[in-house]
Amino acid sequence: MDNHVTRRQMIEGIRRAEPVFFRNSPRPQMVLGQGAEKSRVNPGGVADAADRMRRAQGLLARLFPESAFADRPGQIESPLRVLMASVPLLAKCDGALPIAGSIKARGGIHEVLCHAEELALEAELINPGDDLLQLAAGQSRRLFAEHEICVGSTGNLGLSIGIAARALGFRAVIHMSRDAKQWKKQLLRSHGATVVEHEGDFSAAVQVGRAASADSPRSYFVDDENSTRLLYGYAAAAHPLRAQLAKLGVYPTADSPLCVYLPCGVGGGPAGIAYGLALEFGAAAVESYTVEPTQAPALLLAVLEERYEGLHVSDYGLTLTTDADGLAVGSPSVLAGPIIGALCSGLYTESDEAMRAYLKQFYASDGLRLELSAAAGLGGPARRAQIEGLRTPSAHLVWLTGGGLLPEDEFQRLLR
Ligand SMILES: Cc1ncc(COP(=O)(O)O)c(C=O)c1O
């Protein structure tokens, strides 16, 4: 923590919706070393996700012929860009991820594939470890048509799950919060997904979706508040990043760590990335920071209060009002919270005004076309620079988490 501010004082600042920066003391041994046996994640899960995504390349290329990364069809990867060579400031451009245009493509498509593979194995249509191209065959599609995949989402996870599930032939039911953007609902409907709209917030949509799915036979619920399959899909991003960094001459070490800024909603995305990076480079060689809207700091409050269940930002007088729809989350994921608490070097908040200013600034300087949630981390290096006594980084990496499917008129509205 910023040594001059006590936890209580910080919580008072959060209640007033002020931007705050909490310097955390990571305890990576809780998830990586001794103590890790109590953790719900393990390195095998990340390796398994990377292997599944590799076995799915032919399938994804068949289902989504336009999906490719670096001329490799069916590969769900994104470019790493240099924004300002002098800092150096790097941007991981997950808005460019094929199919879903956001970081949610990583976790969401992985979880849909897990479930499809599981069903096909049970039906003896494939064998363990097979190439998943067979999941596009008629027999598999007929099987999937009898099943439903259901999820509660602020928007982008719904897009990722809905588009992937429909392409495989599943029914898809997406429960959306009131904050969810209309264009995301329309896009999902155009893919044949059923969108159920809720008056309540994201947490309420997840709760209703979970109950509805449990009542419905042959329905599988993707639980954004608790899913290791999603988390492993995000974590698999870390290994390919090593080669991308090396191409730019960036080699994170404990003496000069990689500083990574991660927009945070329910926490699954940032927890997965932070976990993957800690495994790939070693916890000491990475500083991961989460960023949340000043009106929705669910993970920051959870880490400050050391309470990962039963907490909602409305208990602190906050409203969840933010244009960063993907980050409009009041309660933390019970899976992601302790991982973020153990691995992240800091958690901070940003106002919508600041996010909008970064969005405009980086559109002008680098042509970045982002949704507001995706722009949240752009101020990370400047915010970290205000903290004394930190190491000199090998690079700052801002994870730009979405915006790939954003319609032009929505982007123009944000710029205004
Ligand atoms: C663009 C974008 N960035 C970041 C996030 C945060 O991910 P998580 O909710 O897993 O913390 C989301 C969530 O939907 C998102 O849509």
Side-chain angles (χ1 to χ4, degrees):
M1 176 163 0
D2 179 341
N3 293 334
H4 308 293
V5 182
T6 66
R7 273 174 203 246
R8 278 298 126 209
Q9 284 169 327
M10 187 158 287
I11 289 173
E12 285 314 307
I14 292 171
R15 282 182 188 276
R16 292 191 297 269
E18 293 167 4
V20 297
F21 192 105
F22 172 61
R23 187 176 168 190
N24 190 33
S25 307
R27 289 178 298 160
Q29 66 280 9
M30 297 299 289
V31 280
L32 297 175
Q34 296 149 354
E37 65 276 7
K38 282 199 219 120
S39 163
R40 287 181 47 207
V41 288
N42 60 72
V46 186
D48 181 55
D51 174 63
R52 183 167 295 99
M53 295 311 287
R54 188 186 49 72
R55 288 186 291 116
Q57 278 182 26
L59 171 71
L60 295 173
R62 171 76 60 86
L63 297 177
F64 302 96
E66 73 293 352
S67 73
F69 171 72
D71 293 331
R72 288 190 293 277
Q75 185 163 11
I76 308 302
E77 252 315 321
S78 69
L80 181 69
R81 273 184 63 181
V82 181
L83 296 186
M84 281 185 284
S86 57
V87 176
L89 182 61
L90 309 179
K92 184 66 173 160
C93 302
D94 270 6
L97 284 175
I99 302 169
S102 82
I103 186 171
K104 299 283 147 178
R106 300 182 182 279
I109 294 171
H110 176 247
E111 180 143 6
V112 168
L113 290 170
C114 282
H115 183 55
E117 183 177 17
E118 193 171 59
L119 290 175
L121 282 168
E122 271 170 28
E124 299 184 350
L125 297 178
I126 58 170
N127 295 308
D130 273 358
D131 189 299
L132 296 180
L133 181 57
Q134 298 172 70
L135 301 187
Q139 264 186 323
S140 304
R141 292 191 71 81
R142 282 191 290 281
L143 172 68
F144 300 152
E146 295 168 5
H147 290 261
E148 172 186 293
I149 298 188
C150 178
V151 65
S153 169
T154 53
N156 282 332
L157 181 64
L159 279 175
S160 170
I161 299 285
I163 294 173
R166 290 297 300 144
L168 282 161
F170 287 98
R171 290 192 307 279
V173 181
I174 317 296
H175 295 265
M176 306 277 255
S177 51
R178 76 176 127 80
D179 325 274
K181 300 282 179 212
Q182 208 53 36
W183 69 266
K184 292 184 180 174
K185 296 176 190 164
Q186 278 163 0
L187 185 55
L188 269 167
R189 290 190 175 113
S190 76
H191 283 265
T194 302
V195 176
V196 186
E197 298 184 57
H198 295 278
E199 263 315 298
D201 69 357
F202 163 81
S203 312
V206 170
Q207 217 175 341
V208 177
R210 194 187 285 124
S213 179
D215 281 347
S216 172
R218 299 187 176 186
S219 177
Y220 174 84
F221 185 65
V222 176
D223 196 336
D224 200 12
E225 292 183 327
N226 212 351
S227 164
T228 49
R229 287 175 164 182
L230 286 177
L231 195 134
Y232 287 141
Y234 304 124
H239 179 66
L241 184 66
R242 179 187 284 280
Q244 291 182 318
L245 287 171
K247 253 191 193 166
L248 300 174
V250 177
Y251 301 94
T253 64
D255 289 334
S256 66
L258 179 69
C259 293
V260 184
Y261 305 91
L262 299 158
C264 180
V266 74
I273 302 282
Y275 180 60
L277 293 173
L279 286 177
E280 181 66 29
F281 298 102
V286 184
E287 289 180 14
S288 291
Y289 294 90
T290 63
V291 51
E292 295 171 285
T294 46
Q295 286 291 348
L299 272 296
L300 172 56
L301 281 167
V303 170
L304 279 172
E305 302 276 28
E306 296 181 38
R307 185 153 73 91
Y308 297 107
E309 280 189 79
L311 179 148
H312 196 281
V313 300
S314 60
D315 301 336
Y316 297 80
L318 299 174
T319 61
L320 277 188
T321 315
T322 172
D323 224 4
D325 54 323
L327 315 183
V329 175
S331 298
S333 151
V334 290
L335 170 68
I339 296 172
I340 287 177
L343 292 181
C344 287
S345 299
L347 299 90
Y348 69 100
T349 58
E350 205 75 270
S351 68
D352 272 32
E353 291 70 30
M355 292 185 213
R356 237 181 239 112
Y358 294 127
L359 181 104
K360 282 187 191 177
Q361 181 191 334
F362 282 85
Y363 177 60
S365 63
D366 292 87
L368 297 181
R369 224 178 141 285
L370 303 169
E371 57 189 299
L372 204 57
S373 306
L378 282 165
R383 294 293 294 280
R384 180 184 178 275
Q386 290 166 8
I387 309 292
E388 286 169 17
L390 297 178
R391 297 170 290 180
T392 305
S394 53
H396 293 280
L397 189 160
V398 180
W399 214 284
L400 303 177
T401 45
L405 302 183
L406 187 69
E408 183 56 27
D409 57 338
E410 283 289 325
F411 182 59
Q412 290 304 327
R413 186 183 65 81
L414 279 171
L415 285 182
R416 282 198 300 275

